[in-house]
């Protein structure tokens, strides 16, 4: 299957690698890592940098080019990027614990914010667990465009893998909220040979609750596509039958009288 | 839901007039113009209904746009009301819905 950013929403290893400066620059101190790979009309990073470290755009659709020698890792651009595509990495931090850790400064727009000293879960670009990380600093002030910056310390070997945090381990990923099905339940049925929504529906009641499959079916189609190696477009969409949305019987009963009053064209 | 009232990362809140309604017999303060589920969330209520599967897991505010059917409650005696898109009214009687709800 196509593993490009356009298909998965996750940059490829080559793209991530291209965003990092050479090792010699990383050894010199904090530097911004800009993971902005698609041409879109957006330039606040270039206009906000007070040190000219992001080369001014010739065309507003340009993707940013960073002059590593001008960047001092001040984090101002992190708060300006609407896509939260920028982080700052510092491999020269003097780790008080004496471990071989680097600092990663990440934009984090959720509440509650973590506190300094908290242990959080560090995730990769796909959101999957990588390691546990210590929160070293949490910054938010009026000049930060409502974008808090959370600084975490992670092993240097994981510096290129970690790109996010969340605050507590999720015990289970619910797929079907109506009929109590977890991702693990569905994965087991797919591993057992199920290849379509309709098969899963007959066994599990997936898609037959009051939400009418609006939540579970897209998720499960994605799971089927990934497991079977087939694009979603080639999978059976499954059978849909009315009513698409739950309707009170009273509303249907009122339909005739409303039509009598308003005429056919009105309702 | 990771934010509580007044601490949304981006939005400011403009509130309507204060009103009260009851949730499972308990009086709850709310503001005009809020959906029922939002008023309950602000009051700390996280369980609005239970799932229809055998496990009867708690269900709360999820999609908040009337799609997911996780927040169906009994409102003034009528069951299966989507509390995330039904605005709260003064004196409303709201109850947790267990199972499918009576027609």
């Amino acid at each position: 299957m196509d593993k490009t950013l356009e298909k998965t929403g996750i940059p490829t290893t080559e793209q991530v690698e291209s965003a990092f400066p050479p090792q010699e620059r990383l050894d010199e101190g904090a530097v911004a890592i800009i993971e902005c790979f698609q041409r879109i009309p957006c330039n606040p990073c270039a206009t906000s940098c007070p040190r000219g470290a992001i080369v001014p755009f010739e065309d507003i659709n340009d993707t940013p080019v960073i002059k590593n020698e001008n960047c001092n890792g001040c984090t101002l651009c992190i708060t300006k990027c609407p896509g939260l595509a920028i982080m700052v990495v510092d491999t020269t931090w003097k780790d008080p614990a004496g471990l071989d850790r680097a600092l990663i400064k990440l934009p984090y727009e959720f509440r509650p914010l973590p506190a300094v000293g908290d242990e959080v879960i560090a995730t990769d670009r796909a959101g999957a667990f990588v390691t546990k990380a210590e929160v070293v600093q949490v910054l938010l002030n009026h000049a930060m465009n409502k974008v808090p910056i959370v600084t975490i310390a992670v092993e240097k070997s994981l510096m290129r893998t970690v790109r996010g945090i969340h605050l507590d381990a999720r015990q289970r990923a619910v797929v079907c909220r109506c009929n109590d099905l977890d991702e693990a339940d569905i994965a087991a049925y797919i591993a057992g040979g199920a290849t379509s929504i309709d098969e899963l529906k007959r066994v599990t009641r997936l898609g037959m609750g009051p939400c009418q499959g609006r939540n579970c079916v897209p998720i499960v189609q994605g799971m089927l596509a990934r497991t079977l190696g087939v694009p979603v477009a080639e999978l059976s969409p499954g059978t849909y039958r009315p009513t698409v949305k739950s309707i009170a019987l009273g509303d249907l009963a009122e339909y005739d009288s409303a039509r009598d009053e308003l005429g056919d064209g009105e309702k | 839901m990771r934010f509580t009232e007044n601490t949304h990362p981006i939005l400011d809140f403009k509130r309507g007039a204060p009103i009260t309604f009851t949730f499972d017999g308990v009086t709850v303060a709310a503001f005009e113009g809020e959906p029922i589920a939002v008023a309950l969330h602000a009051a700390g209520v996280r369980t609005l209904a239970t799932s229809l599967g055998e496990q009867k897991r708690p269900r709360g505010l999820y999609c908040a746009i009337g799609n997911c059917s996780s927040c169906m409650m009994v409102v003034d005696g009528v069951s299966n009301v989507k509390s995330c898109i039904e605005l709260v009214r003064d004196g409303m009687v709201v109850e947790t819905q267990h199972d499918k709800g009576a027609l």
Side-chain angles (χ1 to χ4, degrees):
Chain A
M1 265 218 295
D2 197 345
K3 296 286 186 193
T4 59
L5 174 64
E6 289 74 15
K7 288 287 179 189
T8 62
I10 302 158
T12 60
T13 314
E14 294 76 39
Q15 285 175 318
V16 173
E17 209 49 49
S18 74
F20 274 79
Q23 187 61 43
E24 305 85 70
R25 175 62 188 85
L26 288 171
D27 293 340
E28 285 170 15
V31 65
I33 313 291
I34 307 182
E35 296 175 74
C36 181
F37 306 111
Q38 290 179 307
R39 286 174 57 78
I40 54 166
C42 180
N43 68 354
C45 57
T47 58
S48 67
C49 182
R51 299 169 63 87
I54 299 168
V55 181
F57 291 5
E58 283 179 17
D59 179 331
I60 194 171
N61 292 293
D62 287 349
T63 53
V65 175
I66 186 161
K67 274 191 200 164
N68 289 316
E69 63 272 23
N70 285 9
C71 178
N72 67 347
C74 75
T75 73
L76 183 65
C77 56
I78 293 182
T79 65
K80 298 297 182 197
C81 175
L84 307 184
I86 309 179
M87 64 172 178
V88 164
V89 167
D90 184 359
T91 63
T92 60
W93 179 56
K94 290 185 180 51
D95 190 343
L99 304 169
D100 193 29
R101 292 187 297 179
L103 291 184
I104 302 181
K105 302 178 181 214
L106 294 162
Y108 185 76
E109 287 189 339
F110 294 98
R111 298 293 187 278
L113 290 169
V116 172
D118 282 0
E119 186 181 72
V120 295
I121 286 161
T123 58
D124 65 12
R125 288 168 176 77
F129 174 88
V130 176
T131 183
K132 289 184 174 172
E134 180 191 343
V135 176
V136 176
Q137 190 183 47
V138 180
L139 275 183
L140 177 62
N141 63 43
H142 70 280
M144 291 175 68
N145 202 21
K146 297 190 176 179
V147 181
I149 295 178
V150 175
T151 304
I152 56 170
V154 298
E155 274 178 60
K156 280 183 185 164
S157 60
L158 298 171
M159 179 180 78
R160 289 158 198 263
T161 312
V162 170
R163 187 54 178 83
I165 58 167
H166 67 81
L167 301 196
D168 47 17
R170 272 168 270 183
Q171 296 296 311
R172 53 159 68 105
V174 178
V175 168
C176 166
R177 302 176 59 77
C178 302
N179 293 307
D180 295 333
L181 297 162
D182 295 341
E183 188 181 13
D185 298 329
I186 302 294
Y189 283 113
I190 296 176
T195 56
S196 71
I197 288 290
D198 278 344
E199 285 171 79
L200 288 165
K201 183 193 283 186
R202 286 181 175 88
V203 189
T204 65
R205 289 191 58 81
L206 174 90
M208 296 171 74
C211 90
Q212 295 281 297
R214 272 187 291 267
N215 295 278
C216 51
V217 169
I219 301 171
V220 173
Q221 290 285 40
M223 291 177 68
L224 282 167
R226 282 190 295 275
T227 313
L228 304 175
V230 178
V232 170
E234 289 174 23
L235 292 170
S236 158
T239 310
Y240 277 89
R241 293 190 182 85
T243 58
V244 178
K245 224 174 172 87
S246 44
I247 300 172
L249 288 172
D251 291 343
L252 294 174
E254 283 168 15
Y255 177 73
D256 275 344
S257 52
R259 190 171 57 180
D260 290 344
E261 286 171 28
L262 297 170
D264 272 339
E266 299 294 322
K267 185 168 181 182
Chain B
M1 282 288 178
R2 290 303 184 82
F3 58 86
T4 54
E5 53 177 340
N6 301 329
T7 61
H8 189 278
I10 305 297
L11 301 178
D12 298 319
F13 294 103
K14 294 188 179 67
R15 302 203 181 288
I19 52 173
T20 59
F21 67 104
T22 66
F23 167 66
D24 286 347
V26 180
T27 302
V28 178
F31 296 97
E32 248 170 30
E34 288 179 329
I36 300 166
V38 167
L40 289 172
H41 191 86
V45 176
R46 295 293 181 267
T47 304
L48 306 173
T50 52
S51 67
L52 303 180
E54 288 170 6
Q55 298 173 47
K56 300 280 172 276
R57 286 182 188 163
R59 288 288 175 255
L61 189 56
Y62 178 62
C63 79
I65 55 170
N67 244 355
C68 76
S69 306
S70 283
C71 66
M72 286 179 166
M73 304 186 80
V74 183
V75 175
D76 290 339
V78 179
S79 52
N80 291 322
V81 173
K82 291 178 177 176
S83 61
C84 69
I85 52 171
E86 187 77 18
L87 298 187
V88 67
R89 292 183 304 273
D90 197 30
M92 206 175 218
V93 178
V94 178
E95 294 157 282
T96 307
Q97 178 170 321
H98 301 282
D99 214 338
K100 291 173 184 166
L103 286 174

